[in-house]
Amino acid sequence: EGYPDLAGGLKLELELLVALREADDIEELPAEGRFMRVHNAADECRNARNLELPAEVLEEVEGISVALAAERTLAIEISAAEDILSGRIEGDSNSIRQHIGNLKRACNGCEASAQEEAKRKLLPRGEYLIERLEKEDVDRQALLKNLQLAVSSRGTSKS
């Protein structure tokens, strides 16, 4: 009579353990997909009758959650930086500096909390984009200053 519950519980726990082991496979699913897979499996285990997960598995779920959140944040900020640099999103100097700050914080969070695979694949891109945004900010400020000087000189030469 307890056998179906035991078999079902083992299957749920196995799915959770597989999800945890594959949580660093950034080529297969984006961070949010891997996050949902881990959490769905953990929720199924928590809701199962007669199944109690070991404390170390629950700690691993929490650790993976933090790591995937850091990875997702960096991926979002990388996308935003690419949108600014490509012109898909307009931004003045203040906006660019805000994105630089966001990207730096996301890189720091990834460095501190993300899994090694994410660090290896995303951090170099994030750091490169910080440099590109900083240069873009300087270039846009210079362009704006030159434009303001040109407009100012036109206004004074008409007298």
Side-chain angles (χ1 to χ4, degrees):
E1 191 174 312
Y3 182 74
D5 284 337
L6 177 62
L10 288 173
K11 182 179 176 186
L12 293 174
E13 189 171 355
L14 180 61
E15 172 55 32
L16 174 59
L17 295 174
V18 169
L20 287 169
R21 294 304 153 257
E22 293 179 351
D24 68 343
D25 195 353
I26 70 175
E27 298 297 325
E28 288 299 313
L29 279 175
E32 62 270 16
R34 288 177 280 128
F35 179 89
M36 291 306 300
R37 181 176 180 207
V38 167
H39 277 271
N40 287 342
D43 288 345
E44 295 261 344
C45 288
R46 286 185 191 111
N47 293 332
R49 293 183 313 173
N50 301 325
L51 178 61
E52 190 171 325
L53 291 173
E56 53 275 355
V57 172
L58 294 173
E59 289 171 10
E60 188 174 0
V61 168
E62 292 308 311
I64 292 292
S65 297
V66 170
L68 291 173
E71 178 187 332
R72 172 136 168 73
T73 299
L74 181 54
I76 288 169
E77 293 305 326
I78 284 172
S79 179
E82 289 170 339
D83 286 346
I84 287 172
L85 291 168
S86 70
R88 287 187 296 264
I89 294 178
E90 293 182 22
D92 62 6
S93 186
N94 290 332
S95 173
I96 291 174
R97 277 181 268 165
Q98 181 179 4
H99 281 287
I100 291 168
N102 291 346
L103 188 52
K104 283 181 178 180
R105 281 187 294 282
C107 284
N108 290 337
C110 185
E111 182 68 43
S113 302
Q115 299 177 82
E116 292 306 314
E117 180 88 7
K119 289 178 187 179
R120 198 170 43 258
K121 295 206 175 197
L122 295 177
L123 271 177
R125 181 76 181 149
E127 291 164 350
Y128 168 75
L129 289 169
I130 289 169
E131 292 174 12
R132 290 270 322 274
L133 284 172
E134 287 171 340
K135 183 181 181 321
E136 183 72 16
D137 184 36
V138 169
D139 291 348
R140 287 186 188 192
Q141 286 181 33
L143 184 62
L144 180 61
K145 185 176 182 177
N146 288 338
L147 181 62
Q148 289 170 335
L149 286 172
V151 168
S152 173
S153 68
R154 285 185 193 160
T156 57
S157 66
K158 287 193 169 192
S159 42

